[in-house]
Amino acid sequence: RNVTGVQTCALPISVILLLVRGRPITYSDTGVFLTVAQEILNGGRLYVDVIDNKDPLFYYSQAVALATAGWRGPFIADAFWLTIAGASSFVLVRLLTRRMSLAFLALLLYPLLLTGIHFFAGMSETPGLALVPLFAYLMLAPRPVLAGLTAAAIILLKLNLAPVIALIVVAALISRS
């Protein structure tokens, strides 16, 4: 239950993965994401004044990162998302197996999986996918209010993860019966 200790391990792993595997680019999709985030910061209304097909919380998180650390902010934010991914994978696997060795393996492997061959820093998939193990943990713990808030965040970050959320809910309900 020492989440701070897990985060202390997960953060350096995330930063190393981001430095080794992340390739921040400002052309292609990530350039569009930066432009939309800047328009939001300039007072533009998402889907009214500036339009793209990504989910709303993704763009608002990009705008916060952009306001905080400039054009590098959204890329640096991936360290935050990968830390959540690693730490929540750790607590989920520990809850499911009660084996510390497997939990540490999850802490290493899930962020590694997220930064696989098609990973570019600042892309829209990372935030939502990072929260999925946290949601599963909160469903199984059970912490229904926090699970609901996390599910809402995932759906607002990446709507196409809604079926994954539904499957986790079904699995959690079956495991309780």
Side-chain angles (χ1 to χ4, degrees):
R1 293 223 176 247
N2 186 357
V3 176
T4 305
V6 173
Q7 291 168 340
T8 303
C9 291
L11 181 60
I13 291 167
S14 300
V15 170
I16 290 168
L17 282 171
L18 194 57
L19 291 173
V20 172
R21 301 177 72 93
R23 297 176 292 278
I25 56 174
T26 56
Y27 57 89
S28 188
D29 286 349
T30 51
V32 172
F33 303 157
L34 289 169
T35 302
V36 172
Q38 185 60 55
E39 287 299 316
I40 291 170
L41 292 175
N42 291 340
R45 296 170 294 166
L46 186 59
Y47 311 125
V48 175
D49 301 318
V50 61
I51 298 173
D52 190 47
N53 63 349
K54 300 300 179 201
D55 305 287
L57 190 54
F58 170 72
Y59 276 121
Y60 290 117
S61 67
Q62 292 280 302
V64 168
L66 187 62
T68 304
W71 72 269
R72 291 177 183 88
F75 308 114
I76 296 168
D78 275 348
F80 169 77
W81 295 118
L82 293 173
T83 300
I84 289 175
S88 58
S89 296
F90 176 93
V91 295
L92 174 62
V93 171
R94 187 165 178 215
L95 175 72
L96 292 172
T97 67
R98 308 275 187 228
R99 294 183 58 193
M100 191 67 78
S101 59
L102 292 178
F104 273 111
L105 194 58
L107 183 141
L108 293 170
L109 290 181
Y110 191 58
L112 184 63
L113 175 71
L114 291 180
T115 59
I117 193 164
H118 298 292
F119 176 73
F120 287 95
M123 295 301 281
S124 65
E125 293 81 9
T126 308
L129 288 171
L131 293 176
V132 169
L134 177 61
F135 172 70
Y137 169 77
L138 293 169
M139 281 299 298
L140 294 170
R143 307 285 295 275
V145 173
L146 291 175
L149 291 171
T150 304
I154 292 168
I155 289 169
L156 290 171
L157 282 164
K158 200 70 177 164
L159 180 61
N160 62 2
L161 289 175
V164 175
I165 298 306
L167 288 173
I168 292 170
V169 169
V170 169
L173 292 174
I174 289 171
S175 74
R176 290 185 197 148
S177 57

